[in-house]
Amino acid sequence: MFRRIRAGDWIVVVLLLLPVLVAWPRWWPRPGAGAAEVLSALGHLAGVLGLSALLVGAMLSVRLPGLDRWFGGLPRIWTLHRILGFAAFILIMLHVVWLAFGALPISPEAAIQVIFPPLEHGAVWIGWGALALMLIFLAPTFQFFGRPHYQRWKRLHLLSVPAFLLAFAHAVMLVEHALLWWGLAALAVAAVLWRKVLSPRLGRHDYTVEAVTALASNVVEITLAPRGRAMSHAAGQFMYLTPHDPGLEAGRGEEHPYTLSSAPGEDVVRVGIKALGDASRALQTVTPGTAVQIEGPYGQFFERYEPQRRQLWFGGGIGITPFVSGARALQREPGAGPEVTLIYLANRPDRAYYMDELREIAQGHPRFDAQIHYFQDRGPVDEAFIRAHCPDLVEREIYICGPPGMVQHLMGLLSRAGVPRGHIHTEAFDFL
């Protein structure tokens, strides 16, 4: 759920509604209009909004570092992108249905002619082509047939480009004032062009794998050294990593997001990676000295809210990495930063990847405390354990990163403990 309206939200609303304001007077029902005319007007309105949503969704695929701050982080842009894609599909379906029902009082044949005219009415058939492509590339997102393979989904999602081009062609062939549609389409094409063609060449930083450190079974921390222009980042941010090691069994040349574990200002970039899929499993054996590219940084996990309010961090699994970055940042500036308590939720000691280092940082920092909770020994963390180490939890800004089950458990627990919902912050990667 979105917690507040941001500058990016207003931009999305304006871009969505501008075509409606331009086109609606043409289709506004006359006073005393019957149901057929109203349905026909609603059909045109749904078509305009559907195309607007499709084009604005394409614009949100641009993925420019820094732009995500306008929306509250890149994961929130992903959510907006998915909502707009789903809305565009539903609206375009309503566009077809309402136009047909608007012609039904004339005759059933007239209704059929509206949506299935003779072949010489090319604009309508182009619209059907756009709808068919949307159904194909959106079906995996709706998970009609289960959760798809990520790379297969990415390739299939490329059909969104011809889909919105066909939808655009359908619109400009039927409207009188096409200049606005041309402008929106130009922005959408520019976003896709940057994302797919220019960004891999101009928006990435060249790095070399300096070291691969095993933290636990199927978990490593990879240290990357710049080979030119370095990337600066804040604590808690993430990046896209594209490895080029020819010896990798999977993922070579593919980009995947990983949270940064290095502190801001380090000469190297570090990421903690757990084997959760083919690409991340292959990275466990990436060869030191091989080339990688990184893109970013993205996200603002620790920057969106009250930066000086006392904080409580909950990290579990590989979700500990943004907090490792935050702790390392505190270590570099012992006199700076808010008062922080970290509660590390691990299944057992060998899965507490960074605990020794976190304890060492806590010993040297007067306002940082690190505690460990083992599920194997105590079961799910409870309010008593949290209050024992952080009695003032209700007054703190709380940050959570970890497996979905852990996040869900903590959200319910903290709510029952009286923590205001606006003080609880999570950030998760969810593409589909």
Side-chain angles (χ1 to χ4, degrees):
M1 180 180 295
F2 299 156
R3 289 179 284 275
R4 58 180 175 176
I5 302 298
R6 301 174 184 275
D9 301 331
W10 289 114
I11 294 173
V12 168
V13 170
V14 169
L15 291 174
L16 282 175
L17 295 183
L18 194 58
V20 175
L21 296 176
V22 172
W24 184 244
R26 177 185 174 190
W27 293 307
W28 186 268
R30 297 168 299 173
E37 187 174 342
V38 171
L39 283 171
S40 180
L42 288 174
H44 286 104
L45 174 63
V48 169
L49 270 175
L51 179 56
S52 296
L54 194 62
L55 294 176
V56 175
M59 295 176 204
L60 292 180
S61 69
V62 64
R63 209 172 76 190
L64 280 172
L67 182 65
D68 58 316
R69 295 171 181 268
W70 295 8
F71 296 85
L74 192 58
R76 196 166 181 274
I77 293 182
W78 295 334
T79 302
L80 282 171
H81 177 79
R82 286 198 301 270
I83 291 172
L84 288 171
F86 180 76
F89 178 74
I90 296 300
L91 286 165
I92 292 173
M93 289 292 292
L94 290 173
H95 168 65
V96 174
V97 172
W98 281 340
L99 286 180
F101 274 97
L104 191 59
I106 301 174
S107 69
E109 291 78 13
I112 294 173
Q113 284 286 324
V114 167
I115 56 176
F116 297 116
L119 292 178
E120 57 264 24
H121 294 265
V124 176
W125 291 105
I126 286 174
W128 275 113
L131 185 57
L133 288 176
M134 286 184 68
L135 182 60
I136 294 171
F137 80 77
L138 284 174
T141 304
F142 299 150
Q143 300 185 31
F144 293 145
F145 309 106
R147 193 171 182 87
H149 184 273
Y150 174 65
Q151 289 301 326
R152 190 178 303 119
W153 169 81
K154 282 190 67 175
R155 290 191 293 269
L156 198 59
H157 213 64
L158 292 174
L159 290 176
S160 61
V161 176
F164 86 69
L165 289 176
L166 288 176
F168 165 72
H170 168 78
V172 297
M173 293 172 71
L174 296 175
V175 300
E176 294 178 356
H177 306 289
L179 184 60
L180 178 59
W181 287 123
W182 279 103
L184 293 177
L187 290 174
V189 169
V192 174
L193 183 65
W194 168 260
R195 173 74 182 80
K196 297 297 183 182
V197 180
L198 298 179
S199 177
R201 295 167 173 79
L202 304 177
R204 294 179 178 176
H205 305 260
D206 294 319
Y207 274 71
T208 299
V209 177
E210 185 174 272
V212 181
T213 305
L215 302 178
S217 174
N218 294 325
V219 181
V220 298
E221 183 174 73
I222 299 178
T223 302
L224 307 173
R227 290 186 291 122
R229 182 171 57 102
M231 182 191 76
S232 60
H233 68 89
Q237 291 191 295
F238 67 94
M239 67 177 189
Y240 281 83
L241 172 66
T242 305
H244 298 288
D245 181 353
L248 288 179
E249 295 183 359
R252 182 167 65 92
E254 297 177 0
E255 56 177 25
H256 290 270
Y258 298 102
T259 301
L260 293 148
S261 59
S262 49
E266 288 190 46
D267 295 332
V268 296
V269 163
R270 292 185 275 180
V271 287
I273 299 177
K274 183 177 181 179
L276 297 173
D278 293 343
S280 56
R281 186 173 296 108
L283 279 174
Q284 308 292 305
T285 59
V286 68
T287 306
T290 56
V292 300
Q293 290 180 303
I294 62 177
E295 177 190 327
Y298 298 103
Q300 46 180 162
F301 192 34
F302 292 122
E303 299 177 29
R304 289 174 287 183
Y305 311 104
E306 297 292 338
Q308 296 307 314
R309 191 196 301 268
R310 287 170 295 176
Q311 298 178 7
L312 173 59
W313 301 348
F314 291 97
I318 200 62
I320 194 63
T321 47
F323 303 119
V324 173
S325 176
R328 287 170 170 170
L330 292 173
Q331 184 183 37
R332 290 172 67 88
E333 298 184 60
E339 181 180 333
V340 175
T341 296
L342 166 66
I343 297 180
Y344 193 159
L345 305 178
N347 286 328
R348 54 189 187 273
D350 64 303
R351 304 310 294 177
Y353 318 130
Y354 289 96
M355 195 60 209
D356 290 342
E357 180 183 353
L358 292 169
R359 284 192 175 118
E360 182 180 338
I361 294 173
Q363 289 172 1
H365 197 289
R367 292 198 298 277
F368 177 66
D369 181 39
Q371 299 293 330
I372 187 73
H373 176 281
Y374 292 120
F375 181 90
Q376 186 182 62
D377 296 337
R378 306 177 63 107
V381 67
D382 56 22
E383 184 179 342
F385 181 92
I386 298 171
R387 287 192 180 276
H389 299 288
C390 186
D392 61 343
L393 72 126
V394 174
E395 292 146 22
R396 297 204 178 202
E397 292 288 328
I398 299 178
Y399 299 84
I400 306 172
C401 190
M406 184 201 92
V407 174
Q408 185 177 4
H409 171 72
L410 285 171
M411 294 293 287
L413 186 156
L414 294 169
S415 176
R416 292 188 296 273
V419 177
R421 179 62 185 86
H423 287 185
I424 306 173
H425 318 296
T426 66
E427 190 164 74
F429 300 155
D430 185 12
F431 293 93
L432 303 181

